[in-house]
Amino acid sequence: MTLILEPGTAVAHAWWWRTEGSSPDPRDLALLSENERERAARIVHPPTAVGFVAGRAASRRILSELLGVAPAEIGLGRRPCPGCGDPLHGPPAVLYPQSPLWISISHTTGCGMLAVARVPVGVDVEGVRDFPVEELAPATLTESEHEVVLGAEQGGARTWAFLRCWTRKEAVLKAVGIGITTDLRAVETRPESAGPVVVAAGVPGTPASWTVADLAVPDAWAAAISVPAPSDGSVFEVRLREHA
């Protein structure tokens, strides 16, 4: 697999895959570390366990092609949290082999995703389902987002508007490396724009602005990806493909 991942390029690559079944695939479990298998065993919601296992296995298979190492040899861990320095809850990382690549992994019922770039990257995927948007909006949306989302027709249009905000926020905060531990109302995602859009996360010690784009995954899901906003004005390019 040939990817354009030279230093300085504003390119991110993303893969999506389907997950199904009521229990993890043994072939996927075989690629996980002992700690990951123990973590999977503690997950009480079967689709979540399936998604977690499939996500780690698919990520290793994809990274295997990129890095020239057998999937089972790919070591996955975390970078230190940029907020507190704790190595246990920072963004995901390739620990082996040594690599300049940054990664982000996400999964929801029925779908998983991996993003890879030469710069910090975040990806989020969510299943399209009924949300209590009116209840969630005050705690999650900025004032302008609230106007756009609640101004959309009730039903599918409103759900999609809310998910555009949510996945963009998650993608940016995962790229920052802190996840949803900040006030979501401080992250403006401009849902009225098809994007890409520039978003400020406001986390000290990280890039001041991030470019975020929606991803064209099947309609059962909504997804977004984010990288630091290029300082040279170059165009942010995303290359999305399905991983079988």
Side-chain angles (χ1 to χ4, degrees):
M1 182 183 297
T2 302
L3 300 181
I4 300 176
L5 285 167
E6 294 85 0
T9 59
V11 178
H13 293 261
W15 292 259
W16 70 273
W17 54 84
R18 299 179 188 272
T19 59
E20 56 186 15
S22 57
S23 60
D25 188 322
R27 294 169 297 181
D28 290 345
L29 277 170
L31 295 181
L32 271 61
S33 68
E34 182 177 351
N35 286 340
E36 289 170 329
R37 288 193 291 270
E38 291 175 353
R39 177 178 170 184
R42 293 193 298 269
I43 300 174
V44 297
H45 185 235
T48 301
V50 170
F52 171 77
V53 173
R56 293 304 190 272
S59 296
R60 283 185 168 88
R61 292 184 179 109
I62 294 166
L63 291 166
S64 169
E65 295 188 50
L66 299 181
L67 302 175
V69 174
E73 296 180 19
I74 299 289
L76 298 178
R78 294 187 177 277
R79 297 175 186 267
C81 171
C84 67
D86 191 324
L88 300 179
H89 61 253
V94 178
L95 301 183
Y96 181 83
Q98 284 191 327
S99 168
L101 301 181
W102 292 71
I103 66 170
S104 182
I105 304 170
S106 181
H107 64 87
T108 189
T109 300
C111 183
M113 297 199 74
L114 169 73
V116 179
R118 281 271 184 171
V119 293
V121 62
V123 70
D124 184 57
V125 61
E126 301 289 341
V128 178
R129 56 199 187 277
D130 288 334
F131 283 91
V133 175
E134 294 77 7
E135 297 177 22
L136 294 171
T140 59
L141 303 181
T142 67
E143 183 175 343
S144 60
E145 289 171 343
H146 191 281
E147 292 180 2
V148 172
V149 173
L150 274 295
E153 184 177 352
Q154 192 167 7
R158 186 171 294 181
T159 296
W160 274 104
F162 177 78
L163 282 174
R164 170 174 276 182
C165 295
W166 184 270
T167 55
R168 287 179 176 184
K169 289 174 191 282
E170 275 243 43
V172 169
L173 294 174
K174 289 173 73 173
V176 171
I178 61 172
I180 300 183
T181 59
T182 189
D183 185 354
L184 296 179
R185 296 169 298 179
V187 182
E188 170 60 54
T189 63
R190 299 176 177 82
E192 71 281 0
S193 172
V197 297
V198 176
V199 175
V203 178
T206 68
S209 57
W210 300 79
T211 299
V212 60
D214 302 329
L215 293 173
V217 293
D219 288 346
W221 303 286
I225 188 171
S226 181
V227 298
S231 59
D232 60 359
S234 57
V235 176
F236 173 36
E237 181 180 353
V238 182
R239 299 179 184 176
L240 175 68
R241 56 182 65 78
E242 181 178 3
H243 173 67

